[in-house]
Amino acid sequence: MSSSRPAHSSSSSSRTRQSSRARILAQTTLDAELNAEYEESGDSFDYSKLVEAQRSTPPEQQGRSGKVIAYLQHIQRGKLIQPFGCLLALDEKSFRVIAFSENAPEMLTTVSHAVPNVDDPPKLGIGTNVRSLFTDPGATALQKALGFADVSLLNPILVQCKTSGKPFYAIVHRATGCLVVDFEPVKPTEFPATAAGALQSYKLAAKAISKIQSLPGGSMEALCNTVVKEVFDLTGYDRVMAYKFHEDEHGEVFAEITKPGIEPYIGLHYPATDIPQAARFLFMKNKVRMICDCRARSVKIIEDEALSIDISLCGSTLRAPHSCHLKYMENMNSIASLVMAVVVNENEEDDEPEPEQPPQQQKKKRLWGLIVCHHESPRYVPFPLRYACEFLAQVFAVHVNKEFELEKQIREKNILRMQTMLSDMLFKESSPLSIVSGSPNIMDLVKCDGAALLYGDKVWRLQTAPTESQIRDIAFWLSEVHGDSTGLSTDSLQDAGYPGAASLGDMICGMAVAKITSKDILFWFRSHTAAEIKWGGAKHDPSDKDDNRRMHPRLSFKAFLEVVKTKSLPWSDYEMDAIHSLQLILRGTLNDASKPAQASGLDNQIGDLKLDGLAELQAVTSEMVRLMETATVPILAVDGNGLVNGWNQKVAELSGLRVDEAIGRHILTLVEDSSVSLVQRMLYLALQGREEKEVRFELKTHGSKRDDGPVILVVNACASRDLHDHVVGVCFVAQDMTVHKLVMDKFTRVEGDYKP
């Protein structure tokens, strides 16, 4: 969804949250519309309508809320399961059955001649006490699950039917007012040595995790290629992909491995509707999803008529897939699938808590993407192996977070370096022409295809930019429509309402603007997104013909390319912040240059030079301090005596120690006792000019964070120097590794539980 916005009317986090909410709401409505169209038209459904729907303005909510609610209700409470297992819903107080799948009586109560002394086999129906169906200790273990707040930690519970002696994995989760239990048959070869089989799964996962951890870092591509290869080896599926969601919700096959002879999807991009928002919500709740056979007939759920609402199957491993998704799978010859959610920390720009949020809910998560496995024939993966895959996905997510942090550090460093260079050029010449005609120039500040400057009623153009007359027309439109704004950013001039957008062609779609004065303006331009996309192989050549009515990944890609013909890549918040900072420096420089010179003698001239030099230094210093304070990584600084004189918002958030409380305290009093000698050595060496890298130490927590345990940081030391190049302090730029350690500790504990 395209959005135009005043560049600096609100904080980065606020802009991102508002944009994301609006996008998700509009996308959910469109998902519901397409679903209704599919359900009503059946085999005559025309998938090419997706193109038209995506290119049009997102539908208004008025008059359509009923359709959206019905769609979400159907997705979550569809009353159908896959036939590879059966389901019971139990009343939490009485432990009696309040709902069951139609295949449950046959699977759980069929009498076997191999089991003697079953004279009066139990009957399964509404009101049956579930203890009557299973032998001890399985029945007791199921009942004990009621006492656990998070019953998922007990999964799987091994139970054995009284009548047949058959073993099942009981996979338990809570739904509103009841306990939902999925039963999956255990292969005879796995029973009773199930624990040993699970241990083998964890050993395989541990091997894959070790490979991921051994990567040097600094390459998201290498990380994704490694995880798809490990999942491919671990699960045996024909195709494994790392599927990444972009900021505008569309998806991309970022990494892939297949068995020989399968058509590759690497590099393909898909519209956001290919994975509906409702499905993404379910992935956040139930992080592993298996479809064993898309052609298998679904099994109905029979519920107690006294229930006021249908039982939610959001957390069920057996929940039947939607008919539209099944058709999509069949068309691409993917009969079975296994999907793992990759859930990461929300973008740092969004980490500011909203006022109404309690502290424990302030750390938000988001769905970065999916690890998707496809198979050309029916395939079942036992629960212990799926659970091991879930752990692998969690560890992968931790490393994705690490790559984000590393990318942000590099990005912020590059932006700061470029801002410093551009500022230096401005201070020397006091004219914006220096940062347009020189090298580097404004195009090096943010990713763009062209730029322009309107200054003193003259126009300077760089690379792919509109003509001079078109730039003047855009400036006039800005003054008429956005006269009160200091800037603007949009990924679609057409969607932003610029009347001349069509005349610019698809090579000029997105634009960011910074006003220096009401008449002097800097412009950055971007081409359409499709220009950034590469076709993933000869079979994806645009000249290929395809059935436009048929749901298939190649058609989805064509639909995506149609959607983005009038859109550029969106302008990120950090890019707009960089533009805003340059805008402030420009305004300050030009204001200083416009002041009348005071040249009344040599002493006055020398005094002016000193003041100007101090003003320049102050401007650069202020900008660097602002960037450090708002950085997305922990940064702290100490003077030559080890007393804290810098403590940014990120380290304050992690430690629970406010900036005003930290300033003036000795650094050694703020670290754990086990880290004192490490920090002491690093501080000593840095004050000698020897800067250590990647030193790990633990920071104490305070206030509301005290019970969370220490913050684990990996730190680079940077010596601070005065004008005479003397070391006067140390700056520590850190990376938070706390979450990574928690995940690995959890993995180690669970692996230990399975050791014989």
Side-chain angles (χ1 to χ4, degrees):
M1 185 179 74
S2 175
S3 64
S4 59
R5 64 191 183 197
H8 321 304
S9 60
S10 61
S11 69
S12 298
S13 58
S14 175
R15 289 199 306 263
T16 302
R17 280 196 296 268
Q18 292 169 5
S19 174
S20 177
R21 287 171 181 166
R23 189 165 53 239
I24 290 172
L25 187 60
Q27 196 65 56
T28 303
T29 305
L30 183 55
D31 292 338
E33 290 290 314
L34 291 172
N35 174 73
E37 174 72 21
Y38 175 81
E39 294 292 344
E40 291 167 8
S41 56
D43 292 338
S44 64
F45 176 65
D46 187 350
Y47 192 57
S48 63
K49 287 186 177 180
L50 174 64
V51 177
E52 182 181 351
Q54 287 280 75
R55 292 183 69 177
S56 62
T57 303
E60 297 294 331
Q61 306 304 310
Q62 186 176 3
R64 303 190 181 185
S65 59
K67 188 173 287 187
V68 173
I69 292 171
Y71 163 68
L72 296 176
Q73 186 85 359
H74 179 64
I75 291 289
Q76 297 182 32
R77 304 177 188 273
K79 299 176 69 172
L80 293 171
I81 65 166
Q82 299 178 69
F84 68 84
C86 62
L87 178 145
L88 299 180
L90 311 176
D91 180 78
E92 287 208 63
K93 295 180 180 178
S94 65
F95 213 48
R96 294 185 179 276
V97 174
I98 58 173
F100 61 92
S101 58
E102 284 186 335
N103 62 346
E106 180 181 355
M107 294 185 78
L108 300 179
T109 63
T110 300
V111 177
S112 171
H113 296 295
V115 180
N117 303 322
V118 184
D119 298 326
D120 187 17
K123 303 292 184 182
L124 174 55
I126 301 299
T128 299
N129 189 315
V130 78
R131 288 186 63 93
S132 66
L133 303 177
F134 306 106
T135 61
D136 278 330
T140 303
L142 267 180
Q143 191 159 11
K144 282 184 177 179
L146 290 172
F148 283 79
D150 187 358
V151 292
S152 64
L153 294 175
L154 303 176
N155 291 329
I157 299 171
L158 193 64
V159 297
Q160 194 170 8
C161 293
K162 281 185 177 179
T163 54
S164 65
K166 291 181 179 179
F168 286 83
Y169 291 125
I171 301 149
V172 189
H173 74 276
R174 275 195 170 82
T176 305
C178 67
L179 207 65
V180 177
V181 189
D182 298 316
F183 293 93
E184 298 182 17
V186 179
K187 293 180 181 178
T189 54
E190 295 180 9
F191 183 78
T194 307
L199 176 60
Q200 182 62 26
S201 297
Y202 280 105
K203 284 182 177 177
L204 290 170
K207 169 179 164 288
I209 288 169
S210 296
K211 284 200 175 180
I212 290 175
Q213 290 179 321
S214 67
L215 295 173
S219 172
M220 187 72 81
E221 184 178 0
L223 175 62
C224 291
N225 285 335
T226 300
V227 79
V228 297
K229 174 65 167 62
E230 293 305 315
V231 172
F232 184 78
D233 293 341
L234 188 62
T235 62
Y237 280 81
D238 294 335
R239 180 200 308 274
V240 179
M241 300 173 284
Y243 190 88
K244 170 187 173 183
F245 294 123
H246 286 256
E247 185 180 340
D248 62 357
E249 307 295 337
H250 90 267
E252 173 192 0
V253 179
F254 193 71
E256 180 187 44
I257 185 170
T258 69
K259 74 174 186 180
I262 290 184
E263 177 184 5
Y265 295 150
I266 182 73
L268 294 185
H269 291 237
Y270 303 108
T273 44
D274 268 31
I275 300 181
Q277 290 297 325
R280 302 185 197 200
F281 169 79
L282 292 176
F283 275 122
M284 293 291 288
K285 298 290 184 182
N286 196 0
K287 295 181 176 60
V288 177
R289 170 77 162 142
M290 179 175 66
I291 299 173
C292 289
D293 185 352
C294 72
R295 295 169 180 167
R297 186 174 181 178
S298 298
V299 179
K300 292 182 180 179
I301 302 292
I302 300 171
E303 296 181 349
D304 188 343
E305 294 180 357
L307 293 177
S308 57
I309 59 171
D310 291 332
I311 293 171
S312 170
L313 299 180
C314 287
S316 172
T317 62
L318 298 172
R319 178 174 54 84
H322 192 268
S323 57
C324 186
H325 179 65
L326 292 176
K327 191 67 176 176
Y328 193 92
M329 286 182 65
E330 189 175 1
N331 285 347
M332 62 191 293
N333 198 31
S334 174
I335 306 305
S337 67
L338 178 68
V339 181
M340 290 147 271
V342 181
V343 179
V344 300
N345 293 335
E346 185 61 276
N347 285 337
E348 293 295 337
E349 290 87 352
D350 296 342
D351 275 351
E352 295 178 19
E354 296 182 31
E356 67 272 14
Q357 284 186 306
Q360 64 270 24
Q361 295 180 1
Q362 290 179 3
K363 195 64 174 178
K364 294 184 178 180
K365 300 288 184 179
R366 68 180 176 92
L367 190 64
W368 173 86
L370 306 168
I371 300 171
V372 182
C373 309
H374 287 171
H375 209 65
E376 293 187 339
S377 59
R379 186 169 185 81
Y380 170 77
V381 174
F383 182 82
L385 182 53
R386 302 203 306 267
Y387 199 35
C389 287
E390 182 177 350
F391 258 112
L392 178 57
Q394 287 181 1
V395 174
F396 172 64
V398 169
H399 284 265
V400 169
N401 270 322
K402 285 175 62 179
E403 291 298 329
F404 283 157
E405 293 292 339
L406 185 59
E407 287 174 3
K408 286 173 185 174
Q409 289 180 36
I410 294 171
R411 187 170 64 222
E412 289 173 355
K413 181 179 178 181
N414 289 339
I415 286 176
L416 182 59
R417 179 177 59 84
M418 189 54 58
Q419 283 179 326
T420 303
M421 294 174 70
L422 294 176
S423 298
D424 185 54
M425 294 165 69
L426 279 170
F427 290 141
K428 286 179 179 177
E429 299 190 24
S430 298
S431 168
L433 293 180
S434 60
I435 61 172
V436 174
S437 58
S439 179
N441 58 49
I442 57 173
M443 287 190 65
D444 297 301
L445 185 63
V446 296
K447 179 180 174 64
C448 62
D449 298 297
L453 169 67
L454 175 60
Y455 179 65
D457 203 34
K458 293 184 178 180
V459 174
W460 288 263
R461 300 167 57 249
L462 294 173
Q463 296 189 27
T464 307
T467 64
E468 180 175 336
S469 61
Q470 288 172 330
I471 288 173
R472 292 184 185 278
D473 187 60
I474 293 172
F476 176 76
W477 172 71
L478 288 170
S479 65
E480 291 291 308
V481 180
H482 299 280
D484 296 334
S485 174
T486 59
L488 180 89
S489 69
T490 178
D491 58 9
S492 173
L493 279 165
Q494 178 177 300
D495 290 352
Y498 172 55
S503 65
L504 295 174
D506 56 12
M507 295 310 292
I508 305 292
C509 294
M511 180 183 73
V513 169
K515 293 183 180 179
I516 308 169
T517 67
S518 59
K519 296 182 179 179
D520 301 322
I521 307 172
L522 276 173
F523 303 86
W524 288 263
F525 299 102
R526 280 180 177 166
S527 301
H528 61 92
T529 304
E532 301 282 335
I533 305 303
K534 296 180 180 178
W535 289 87
K539 289 187 178 181
H540 302 139
D541 190 282
S543 63
D544 280 357
K545 300 295 182 183
D546 207 344
D547 179 6
N548 285 342
R549 304 172 66 89
R550 189 166 170 261
M551 293 180 291
H552 190 274
R554 285 176 57 202
L555 184 57
S556 289
F557 188 29
K558 291 179 181 179
F560 170 77
L561 292 177
E562 289 296 322
V563 168
V564 298
K565 275 185 177 178
T566 61
K567 297 179 188 292
S568 73
L569 293 174
W571 301 91
S572 64
D573 287 328
Y574 74 82
E575 289 175 319
M576 294 311 302
D577 287 342
I579 288 173
H580 185 206
S581 297
L582 180 63
Q583 179 187 40
L584 295 177
I585 294 170
L586 262 171
R587 287 181 166 186
T589 304
L590 295 183
N591 285 340
D592 290 342
S594 64
K595 294 177 182 178
Q598 298 178 1
S600 56
L602 183 59
D603 290 341
N604 284 341
Q605 291 179 31
I606 293 173
D608 288 342
L609 286 172
K610 288 181 178 178
L611 289 173
D612 287 345
L614 288 172
E616 293 171 12
L617 183 60
Q618 184 180 21
V620 175
T621 303
S622 297
E623 181 58 24
M624 291 181 69
V625 169
R626 188 193 72 82
L627 288 171
M628 288 175 62
E629 288 177 347
T630 59
T632 58
V633 296
I635 299 177
L636 55 149
V638 298
D639 62 18
N641 296 317
L643 301 179
V644 174
N645 58 10
W647 191 265
N648 78 343
Q649 290 298 322
K650 186 63 179 179
V651 73
E653 172 196 325
L654 292 172
S655 66
L657 187 65
R658 298 197 314 267
V659 177
D660 60 321
E661 295 173 328
I663 298 298
R665 295 180 62 172
H666 200 284
I667 183 64
L668 296 182
T669 67
L670 301 177
V671 301
E672 291 288 329
D673 293 343
S674 59
S675 300
V676 168
S677 59
L678 277 173
V679 176
Q680 201 167 24
R681 168 186 163 80
M682 184 166 54
L683 182 61
Y684 172 78
L685 291 175
L687 290 172
Q688 306 301 313
R690 296 160 60 188
E691 301 168 337
E692 288 196 304
K693 306 294 182 186
E694 297 188 359
V695 177
R696 172 172 163 159
F697 67 77
E698 296 184 356
L699 198 65
K700 292 178 180 176
T701 49
H702 307 262
S704 62
K705 299 284 186 178
R706 187 183 300 275
D707 295 336
D708 295 345
V711 178
I712 301 169
L713 300 178
V714 173
V715 177
N716 290 345
C718 178
S720 304
R721 300 175 184 271
D722 61 15
L723 294 174
H724 304 290
D725 205 33
H726 297 145
V727 178
V728 294
V730 184
C731 180
F732 300 102
V733 180
Q735 182 178 348
D736 178 22
M737 298 294 290
T738 311
V739 175
H740 175 267
K741 184 176 185 300
L742 288 174
V743 171
M744 292 314 302
D745 285 350
K746 182 180 177 183
F747 174 77
T748 303
R749 285 198 305 273
V750 174
E751 184 184 26
D753 290 343
Y754 281 92
K755 289 183 178 178

